[in-house]
């Protein structure tokens, strides 16, 4: 298998990566054939996966703009993935030129491309770290260089917590990050769930099996389990809802969540909470 020029040295391009599979769903070009094969297998069970990911990105953009409108201009995006058009720093800095963003991911391809995209971009940083080890994130030099944790920060856990199994103790990881944030900070979250998927759980489970086979288990939690991640945060209206239902752009604009959205877009949950 020929190594693309953009692939960082030392990574195994024969093993699928969830961030590169996500890039493929969004129509990106930074994925390998092994990622595309895994994505196509998952889509045999869940053909609407690209629509789900597009709804996820649209929610992220709306949530970032909401945060800025509330005066929160610092963003810590964990599990940020491979940069694509409309990334957090682009949306945030378009809304507020003073916005500051740190991206965190454990995929070396995602980290390398974030660094390349951000080269020369002020008030941004990239950290190679894993959500399972929040203290490694909080102690990273880039955090102190870019963010002021004594002021409110928007903690972004968008489409990442469902890749942490219960054995990884994801609730404790989120709590440790919450406790490091100032009052007024926000939690922006999306999470996969069988709830809302317009096919049977049995069929959708086939896609979950694909992720298990590539050793990146996808954990489908229900609404109450997902709501637990907001402990210590007050949910902001409309609460924990499907992604297109969170403060939708009903004008038919570029957000892709106007009335008539594809049924698959309503799979899973999104929410935004504020720390008291």
């Amino acid at each position: 298998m020929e190594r693309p020029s953009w692939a960082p040295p030392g990574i195994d391009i024969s093993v699928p990566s969830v961030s590169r599979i996500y890039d493929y769903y969004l129509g990106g070009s930074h994925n390998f054939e092994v990622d595309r094969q895994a994505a196509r297998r998952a889509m045999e069970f869940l053909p609407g996966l690209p629509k789900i990911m597009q709804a996820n990105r649209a929610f992220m953009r709306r949530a970032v703009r909401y945060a800025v409108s509330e005066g929160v201009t610092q963003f810590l995006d964990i599990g940020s993935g491979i940069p694509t058009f409309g990334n957090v720093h682009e949306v945030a800095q378009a809304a507020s030129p003073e916005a500051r963003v740190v991206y965190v991911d454990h995929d070396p391809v995602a980290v390398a491309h974030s660094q390349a995209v951000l080269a020369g971009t002020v008030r941004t940083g990239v950290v190679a770290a894993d959500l399972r080890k929040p203290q490694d994130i909080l102690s990273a030099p880039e955090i102190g260089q870019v963010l002021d944790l004594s002021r409110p920060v928007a903690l972004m856990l968008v489409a990442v917590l469902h890749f942490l199994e219960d054995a990884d103790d994801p609730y404790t990881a989120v709590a440790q990050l919450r406790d490091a944030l100032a009052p007024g900070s926000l939690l922006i979250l999306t999470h996969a769930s069988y709830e809302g998927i317009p096919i049977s759980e049995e069929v959708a489970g086939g896609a979950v099996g694909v992720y298990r086979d590539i050793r990146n288990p996808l954990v489908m939690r229900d609404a109450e389990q997902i709501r637990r991640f907001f402990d210590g945060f007050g949910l902001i209206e409309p609460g924990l809802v499907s992604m297109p239902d969170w403060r939708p752009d009903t004008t038919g604009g570029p957000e892709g969540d106007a009335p008539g959205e594809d049924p698959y877009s309503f799979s899973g949950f999104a929410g935004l909470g504020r720390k008291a």
Side-chain angles (χ1 to χ4, degrees):
M1 185 184 301
E2 184 177 350
R3 178 180 294 273
S5 59
W6 51 263
I11 69 163
D12 186 347
I13 64 175
S14 69
V15 177
S17 154
V18 292
S19 63
R20 299 193 304 266
I21 292 172
Y22 183 65
D23 178 70
Y24 173 75
Y25 291 143
L26 290 174
S29 59
H30 292 105
N31 47 77
F32 307 136
E33 180 57 28
V34 68
D35 305 308
R36 295 188 284 274
Q37 289 175 356
R40 288 192 288 264
R41 288 201 306 274
M43 288 170 63
E44 291 176 5
F45 301 98
L46 264 177
L49 276 166
K51 288 294 184 181
I52 295 172
M53 304 313 168
Q54 290 163 20
N56 185 74
R57 294 288 294 186
F59 161 77
M60 179 274 288
R61 292 190 290 267
R62 298 195 307 278
V64 167
R65 286 195 290 268
Y66 174 85
V68 173
S69 74
E70 292 291 299
V72 179
T73 57
Q74 300 190 104
F75 297 85
L76 176 56
D77 185 2
I78 302 177
S80 50
I82 294 171
T84 57
F85 176 74
N87 246 18
V88 173
H89 74 279
E90 294 172 332
V91 177
Q93 293 181 351
S96 170
E98 298 304 310
R100 298 173 176 271
V101 180
V102 174
Y103 293 109
V104 181
D105 208 289
H106 69 150
D107 184 327
V109 173
V111 171
H113 277 280
S114 296
Q115 292 170 333
V117 166
L118 295 174
T121 304
V122 298
R123 294 181 292 279
T124 60
V126 183
V127 174
D130 194 314
L131 176 55
R132 296 170 183 84
K133 299 179 179 179
Q135 294 307 319
D136 289 354
I137 297 172
L138 295 168
S139 63
E142 294 85 355
I143 298 295
Q145 292 165 3
V146 178
L147 304 180
D148 178 359
L149 296 186
S150 69
R151 296 175 47 240
V153 171
L155 170 62
M156 304 188 65
L157 299 174
V158 176
V160 63
L161 283 166
H162 47 234
F163 291 113
L164 270 62
E165 298 181 272
D166 291 343
D168 296 318
D169 201 2
Y171 297 104
T172 295
V174 174
Q176 289 179 4
L177 291 165
R178 176 201 65 212
D179 291 348
L181 301 180
S185 291
L186 302 175
L187 172 60
I188 298 171
L189 180 153
T190 63
H191 197 296
S193 177
Y194 285 120
E195 297 181 41
I197 293 180
I199 57 175
S200 71
E201 182 174 326
E202 181 180 9
V203 173
V208 174
V210 171
Y211 282 90
R212 184 176 58 249
D213 291 344
I214 64 172
R215 299 179 183 178
N216 283 284
L218 180 60
V219 182
M220 306 290 265
R221 297 186 170 96
D222 63 30
E224 282 308 309
Q225 291 170 319
I226 297 168
R227 193 173 283 109
R228 280 183 56 200
F229 288 116
F230 286 94
D231 286 353
F233 294 91
L235 272 167
I236 294 169
E237 288 296 329
L240 188 67
V241 295
S242 69
M243 293 178 287
D245 287 331
W246 197 89
R247 298 179 180 246
D249 170 15
T250 58
T251 64
E255 294 309 295
D257 58 6
E261 181 67 72
D262 186 284
Y264 278 98
S265 300
F266 294 86
S267 307
F269 290 96
L272 196 154
R274 180 180 286 111
K275 180 178 176 179

